[in-house]
Amino acid sequence: MNVPNPRQIDWREWHTLFRAIPDELVQNTRYYRHLPDVEWSLYLFPPSTHTVYGNRLLRKLRFDNSPAALRLWGFVLSECERLYRAKQAGMKVVAVMGDLGAVTPLIYSFPNTIAFYPDCLWWTPFLMESRVLFEEAAMLGLSEDCCYVRAALGGFARRAYFPRPDLCIATVGATCDDMAAVTAGVERLGCTVRYLELPHRADREKSLQQCYPPFNSPPQSGGEKDNSSQSGGEKDGSPRRGGEKNNRSQIGRDEKYHPRDELRSYIAGQHLKLCGWLEDLTGAKFNLNRYSATIHKVNHLRKTIADLKDLITTSGPNPMGALEMLNAEFAALSYYGDLDECCAVLDELHKTVEWRVKKRAGYPNQSVKLLWLTPPADPLLLNYVEELGGRIVATEYLINQTTPLISIENDKTAQLPSDEHHRSFGRESIFLPLSEAQLSGSLISSSDYRIGLALQYAGKSRANGAVISGVFGSSHCPYETAPLVEALRQAGIPTLAFDVVAPGKVRMQAQLLNRIEAFIEMLKNRKNANIDADADGDADERGRI
Amino acid sequence: MSDERMNARERWGLLLIDELTDRPPVYPLITSHAATVHGCNLIDYCRDGRVLAEAQIEAQRIYGQDGLTVFTDVGLIAEAFGSRYLLRAEDVPILLEPLIQNPEQVDDLAIPEPQSAGRLPVYIEAVDRLFTAAGDRQPVFAFIPAPFTTAAGLRGTETFLTDTILMPETAHKILDLTLNAALKLCDECILAGGLPVLVDPLASGSVISRHTFKEFALPYIKGLIDYLHRYDLDIMLHICGETKNILDLIPATDADLFSLDKLDLAAACKEIGSRVRLVGNIPPNSLLAFSGHPTFGPVEEALTIGMQNPKGFVLSTGCEVPIRADKEKLLTMINTAKRARYVEW
Ligand code: SF4
């Protein structure tokens, strides 16, 4: 198929265009390539196929028109079947709940073992335009006062969205209350859940701040100021991040204390525990070579995603849709059940985007640059913003634990140890690099960290505005959204925050769409006004709303 | 049944990926009978997509079967080409006048547009309405008259059967046309949210020989299924009446499910059950009030046999539920089947 001009098209057009995709390509686009060719492993199909099987929202979405995007959608939407097929083919399926995207490299390093993320079922009610999973969760005690992630509980109960996992792991400790409630519900259904403890990162420690490799420069505004007692700012006006006194006294250590190392070791110990469970499950011993090979693949994937995110900020027109980018970003959690194929899918997407950026090809009329915080449970919102002229140039989707490269070359303290090292320093030292990545999680510490990320991303992407899509009833949203909004606005970045409306609440949805429309319109006016002011030689002071 | 956790969408979804479900889907072919329970006449049912959809929703509410069905009559596509059908208030439409009186007409025929020709828009509207109303919980099956059956409606059954012997080229030309028309209708049904089900009653062993099936029906059924398989859709083929003489040819159509009628279920399981999911086959006339047939026994028997089928099973009727089927009998059939459980579940 020729490379088409970038456009966003609907399911109807993809249905027709699909006929032009060569048979050979359809037949060669398969998952689980290590298995003999079986008809069920094909996945290059248009959205209309998935519509017929109940993903009703696809009839309303707009998709990128590249073959790479088609492949990405086909891969993402076939995950449910893939998990069942994995079990049928004798593979072990591990359910990973909570902020555990960081541990999936370890899981995939075991032979014939894959992971999936039940939490991602929170998209299913939206994709299906259905309340089935929410109603099920409500019958089990989790209703509208819990995050949409409660759909995962419905999924466990109904036994029709993923196969019965061979191992179910979840987090305790610095983890989300809503997710904890879901996990408890899963246990009540009779499913054994094993827990890994995530420690609080305590990142108001100055020494810790300096340790963050990607964020050496602390945010210049917003986060430094004492905005609310909720966020732990000091009343005497000292920087909020100077809460070390409190933390120190809690931890009871002196100035030389390096909590980062301790946290890392602690998490590595948790990973070691997981390693033992996986050995029991698979009957295979942990193998350093296989682990190292998996880490290399995961790093490749993470780098591809990071590059894609960079490419998207190009000064030319928008080279890829926000929905495709969301699919790409979330690949880092559990690779949609097939790491090798996932790498190939994202490589192809990357090539397409790179080519478009080089040719300055992209969608016309998307000029309002936006930072999006918290993944929108309703994918339609991303499309809607784009239709109005918005363009998502940066995101903070709460999956930061899956973004850093797992350092095996550069960080001396975090090198994959040799067998000798491993004998002398204990087996968990193998997992220190993985633990380091896990420590980057957005939600395992104070809101300041996330605020810092938001400001950094907004600055880097030169966003004209920010959107925070929250979830009514979810544990982090009410606490975090307010300081985020405040910090962003103080930094001169107009910010719209709202709760995503549950499927079927048509009137509330209409109201929300109005707000988004007004926001984008306002940003467009500001942009035009700034251009005029610039033309008059005025300094561009980004105003506030 | 209130204690059921799984809905029809989930149950069918698992069946189609070779997974075990709580029980087999229970899907009697409730078509025009829906008009009876909804209290509308069949002319409105055939002509108005809203009425058709509402009747189906009402029937599903009463019976709780697994799946919604859009089907009026096998003449649908032929009528859209230009054949004349008589719509009747109390019964299904019948062919009044086939379009092709003269083989030369064939070259001038255009493929009907699903958005505008005949009652095709009614169909699309019904699928769309059902999918919008209940597509998250219920699959919507859009019955598509297969090329052979439509050809018979275009030419007149007897004339077309004669063509297959005396003018096979003309027969194939007509079949090419009807295949393309069916493809076009399938596309629109898919876009409206429906999963095409192919119905080919005229290709039944009760009507044609094995040879005629092989030469004139099978290649076009397969053509249609190949097209739909390219979209990764799982396709059910329904052929009513006798199919014993063509049973071994069914896997060659590549149908994923075969809905059978007057055929020994155990024999079907044995012969093709490892390759094709079977759907069937409670005799529809047993659902008539005064048929004298019991309902419970045959359902139990079908379940005992069908649930052993390696590739999966759907409890259904051998053909359409009669328009004036007895409500209680149909409920008995459905509820009996709903009590079945796969022990491994
Ligand atoms: S409340 Fe936030 S962190 Fe918790 S499950 Fe929901 S989205 Fe995830």
Side-chain angles (χ1 to χ4, degrees):
Chain A
M1 203 162 102
N2 294 331
V3 179
N5 281 336
R7 268 187 318 127
Q8 287 174 300
I9 61 176
D10 65 5
W11 94 118
R12 176 176 281 276
E13 196 170 346
W14 251 131
H15 186 84
T16 308
L17 283 179
F18 181 68
R19 289 184 207 130
I21 304 265
D23 277 344
E24 208 190 333
L25 188 59
V26 176
Q27 289 300 322
N28 287 332
T29 311
R30 296 173 178 271
Y31 54 82
Y32 297 153
R33 288 175 191 260
H34 63 286
L35 297 175
D37 282 0
V38 272
E39 172 271 327
W40 52 251
S41 64
L42 303 177
Y43 67 86
L44 188 66
F45 302 113
S48 54
T49 298
H50 299 280
T51 307
V52 166
Y53 290 113
N55 288 316
R56 298 191 292 174
L57 186 74
L58 299 177
R59 294 207 298 176
K60 295 179 184 156
L61 298 182
R62 296 185 74 78
F63 314 89
D64 182 79
N65 65 339
S66 64
L70 180 71
R71 183 178 181 186
L72 174 69
W73 277 105
F75 188 62
V76 172
L77 292 168
S78 58
E79 187 186 6
C80 165
E81 175 170 357
R82 182 155 50 250
L83 299 176
Y84 280 104
R85 297 299 188 185
K87 283 277 270 200
Q88 290 170 7
M91 295 157 86
K92 299 288 182 202
V93 176
V94 181
V96 168
M97 294 192 282
D99 296 325
L100 277 179
V103 303
T104 45
L106 175 56
I107 296 169
Y108 276 83
S109 77
F110 279 80
N112 261 331
T113 309
I114 60 156
F116 78 103
Y117 216 67
D119 315 18
C120 283
L121 241 72
W122 88 329
W123 273 297
T124 305
F126 292 88
L127 274 174
M128 295 186 76
E129 298 185 313
S130 169
R131 300 195 59 84
V132 168
L133 290 176
F134 290 154
E135 283 165 8
E136 185 71 40
M139 285 198 297
L140 295 166
L142 293 186
S143 50
E144 293 199 349
D145 49 359
C146 180
C147 166
Y148 290 137
V149 80
R150 66 186 188 271
L153 178 60
F156 271 96
R158 297 184 75 83
R159 297 170 60 183
Y161 296 81
F162 47 79
R164 188 169 276 255
D166 296 293
L167 172 67
C168 212
I169 54 169
T171 44
V172 285
T175 192
C176 152
D177 290 347
D178 296 56
M179 198 55 227
V182 169
T183 315
V186 170
E187 282 212 82
R188 273 200 299 278
L189 289 172
C191 184
T192 306
V193 180
R194 298 200 163 174
Y195 291 94
L196 297 180
E197 183 167 346
L198 272 186
H200 189 264
R201 193 176 48 222
D203 54 3
R204 278 179 288 149
E205 295 280 353
K206 255 191 186 146
S207 55
L208 272 176
Q209 285 302 312
Q210 285 147 7
C211 285
Y212 290 137
F215 314 117
N216 278 337
S217 359
Q220 293 308 304
S221 54
E224 293 295 315
K225 209 161 174 246
D226 177 22
N227 292 319
S228 76
S229 54
Q230 216 175 44
S231 311
E234 302 289 275
K235 291 286 173 220
D236 62 7
S238 60
R240 186 194 271 175
R241 288 173 197 282
E244 59 264 33
K245 224 193 217 160
N246 276 343
N247 285 333
R248 291 262 159 75
S249 60
Q250 278 165 14
I251 301 167
R253 298 292 177 100
D254 64 23
E255 288 295 317
K256 286 178 201 145
Y257 177 58
H258 294 297
R260 183 89 177 184
D261 288 344
E262 189 163 295
L263 293 175
R264 211 161 52 168
S265 301
Y266 184 78
I267 296 174
Q270 299 293 299
H271 291 164
L272 185 63
K273 199 161 78 171
L274 170 61
C275 186
W277 297 336
L278 290 165
E279 285 182 340
D280 291 346
L281 175 71
T282 60
K285 284 270 158 230
F286 172 80
N287 178 306
L288 198 54
N289 291 334
R290 233 175 14 223
Y291 178 65
S292 171
T294 310
I295 297 285
H296 275 101
K297 286 179 198 170
V298 170
N299 275 344
H300 173 78
L301 187 89
R302 291 183 179 188
K303 190 172 174 320
T304 308
I305 296 169
D307 282 356
L308 274 168
K309 288 186 76 173
D310 271 352
L311 284 167
I312 221 78
T313 60
T314 174
S315 58
N318 187 11
M320 189 49 68
L323 274 177
E324 284 78 13
M325 287 299 294
L326 176 111
N327 284 337
E329 275 199 64
F330 274 83
L333 283 176
S334 58
Y335 329 125
Y336 298 118
D338 183 343
L339 175 56
D340 290 321
E341 195 58 23
C342 193
C343 288
V345 169
L346 292 200
D347 283 348
E348 190 180 339
L349 188 76
H350 185 270
K351 260 190 221 151
T352 300
V353 174
E354 203 175 38
W355 184 87
R356 287 178 177 180
V357 170
K358 213 161 120 192
K359 301 277 173 201
R360 294 185 75 78
Y363 315 141
N365 308 324
Q366 291 180 8
S367 58
V368 179
K369 293 182 174 182
L370 293 168
L371 160 69
W372 197 291
L373 300 155
T374 308
D378 185 350
L380 188 69
L381 297 177
L382 291 175
N383 262 185
Y384 190 65
V385 161
E386 288 179 330
E387 247 171 64
L388 294 170
R391 168 179 173 182
I392 316 301
V393 285
T395 54
E396 204 293 295
Y397 282 158
L398 301 168
I399 51 171
N400 244 47
Q401 72 277 19
T402 66
T403 55
L405 295 187
I406 303 161
S407 170
I408 42 179
E409 277 105 27
N410 303 327
D411 182 349
K412 292 219 165 23
T413 60
Q415 271 177 6
L416 266 186
S418 63
D419 278 350
E420 195 187 323
H421 175 103
H422 149 206
R423 266 194 299 278
S424 12
F425 293 98
R427 211 176 159 200
E428 72 260 34
S429 61
I430 296 169
F431 303 120
L432 288 174
L434 206 58
S435 317
E436 180 63 32
Q438 188 139 17
L439 274 173
S440 310
S442 312
L443 291 174
I444 58 169
S445 192
S446 77
S447 307
D448 277 7
Y449 179 75
R450 215 175 150 219
I451 289 169
L453 289 182
L455 291 169
Q456 188 187 338
Y457 294 168
K460 195 176 156 204
S461 63
R462 304 180 62 81
N464 304 113
V467 176
I468 309 175
S469 54
V471 186
F472 177 77
S474 80
S475 54
H476 71 263
C477 292
Y479 297 101
E480 223 165 53
T481 303
L484 267 171
V485 171
E486 194 168 345
L488 285 160
R489 286 184 182 165
Q490 281 190 15
I493 301 159
T495 302
L496 174 71
F498 54 79
D499 287 334
V500 172
V501 176
K505 296 190 172 178
V506 183
R507 284 196 198 146
M508 280 174 74
Q509 176 80 347
Q511 217 176 45
L512 172 59
L513 298 183
N514 277 346
R515 287 181 64 197
I516 294 176
E517 201 175 329
F519 182 65
I520 302 282
E521 205 176 298
M522 181 275 295
L523 291 179
K524 277 184 185 164
N525 290 340
R526 275 169 60 100
K527 240 184 126 204
N528 292 338
N530 285 339
I531 290 168
D532 292 346
D534 278 350
D536 293 345
D538 291 349
D540 174 14
E541 262 304 312
R542 290 194 281 184
R544 293 177 189 162
I545 58 163
Chain B
M1 287 182 110
S2 54
D3 66 328
E4 293 199 317
R5 200 138 225 181
M6 211 169 255
N7 63 35
R9 168 69 75 191
E10 292 162 344
R11 198 170 283 118
W12 275 98
L14 289 178
L15 174 82
L16 296 177
I17 56 169
D18 306 314
E19 279 293 318
L20 207 59
T21 51
D22 52 351
R23 59 165 173 82
V26 180
Y27 177 62
L29 307 182
I30 300 175
T31 51
S32 301
H33 174 67
T36 308
V37 296
H38 187 49
C40 62
N41 77 52
L42 278 168
I43 296 178
D44 293 339
Y45 186 82
C46 289
R47 275 201 182 142
D48 188 332
R50 184 181 55 82
V51 173
L52 199 165
E54 282 173 1
Q56 278 293 322
I57 294 279
E58 177 68 358
Q60 205 286 326
R61 190 187 63 75
I62 291 170
Y63 294 119
Q65 79 275 19
D66 294 317
L68 298 162
T69 306
V70 176
F71 181 63
T72 53
D73 57 292
V74 293
L76 184 82
I77 298 178
E79 188 199 59
F81 267 108
S83 289
R84 281 186 50 233
Y85 278 77
L86 175 68
L87 269 57
R88 302 175 294 176
E90 304 279 321
D91 214 332
V92 293
I94 46 165
L95 179 62
L96 278 183
E97 191 185 347
L99 174 70
I100 306 173
Q101 303 292 334
N102 178 337
E104 269 120 57
Q105 279 174 271
V106 177
D107 294 329
D108 301 329
L109 293 184
I111 305 296
E113 282 303 327
Q115 302 293 1
S116 54
R119 285 177 288 127
L120 300 185
V122 171
Y123 230 60
I124 311 298
E125 182 187 346
V127 172
D128 183 70
R129 282 178 179 274
L130 288 172
F131 189 67
T132 305
D136 61 328
R137 291 157 203 251
Q138 296 282 335
V140 180
F141 296 107
F143 281 37
I144 310 289
F148 191 87
T149 291
T150 298
L154 267 182
R155 187 81 171 109
T157 304
E158 274 177 38
T159 317
F160 182 66
L161 294 181
T162 312
D163 287 346
T164 63
I165 299 162
L166 300 181
M167 293 194 288
E169 274 177 27
T170 304
H172 281 298
K173 260 191 187 173
I174 298 172
L175 284 163
D176 282 337
L177 276 174
T178 55
L179 170 63
N180 285 325
L183 289 177
K184 224 168 176 174
L185 179 58
C186 279
D187 276 333
E188 286 306 317
C189 286
I190 292 164
L191 290 167
L195 181 63
V197 169
L198 309 186
V199 285
D200 213 351
L202 265 294
S204 162
S206 313
V207 182
I208 59 173
S209 69
R210 178 181 166 87
H211 171 77
T212 308
F213 179 82
K214 212 170 159 182
E215 289 296 313
F216 295 93
L218 190 149
Y220 297 93
I221 294 173
K222 183 164 161 39
L224 201 41
I225 292 179
D226 283 351
Y227 177 82
L228 296 168
H229 273 179
R230 203 166 179 277
Y231 285 88
D232 200 32
L233 299 172
D234 299 279
I235 301 304
M236 187 194 306
L237 168 66
H238 172 75
I239 302 180
C240 38
E242 301 278 352
T243 41
K244 193 170 170 216
N245 63 335
I246 53 166
L247 185 60
D248 61 317
L249 297 175
I250 295 299
T253 65
D254 277 341
D256 302 281
L257 304 103
F258 178 50
S259 163
L260 52 118
D261 187 8
K262 293 177 184 157
L263 185 65
D264 178 37
L265 183 57
C269 288
K270 196 165 163 225
E271 188 150 355
I272 62 170
S274 59
R275 287 169 289 171
V276 185
R277 298 171 191 96
L278 295 175
V279 183
N281 65 341
I282 304 301
N285 60 4
S286 69
L287 298 170
L288 290 167
F290 305 108
S291 69
H293 288 283
T295 314
F296 186 80
V299 172
E300 292 271 285
E301 197 187 321
L303 286 167
T304 308
I305 299 166
M307 286 170 74
Q308 304 296 321
N309 193 47
K311 198 69 182 154
F313 177 64
V314 177
L315 193 283
S316 180
T317 43
C319 196
E320 288 178 82
V321 168
I323 294 170
R324 276 167 290 281
D326 181 73
K327 197 170 145 187
E328 291 310 315
K329 280 193 156 185
L330 184 52
L331 271 172
T332 305
M333 175 199 154
I334 291 170
N335 290 336
T336 305
K338 281 187 168 188
R339 278 193 288 273
R341 285 291 176 274
Y342 283 110
V343 277
E344 304 92 320
W345 172 249

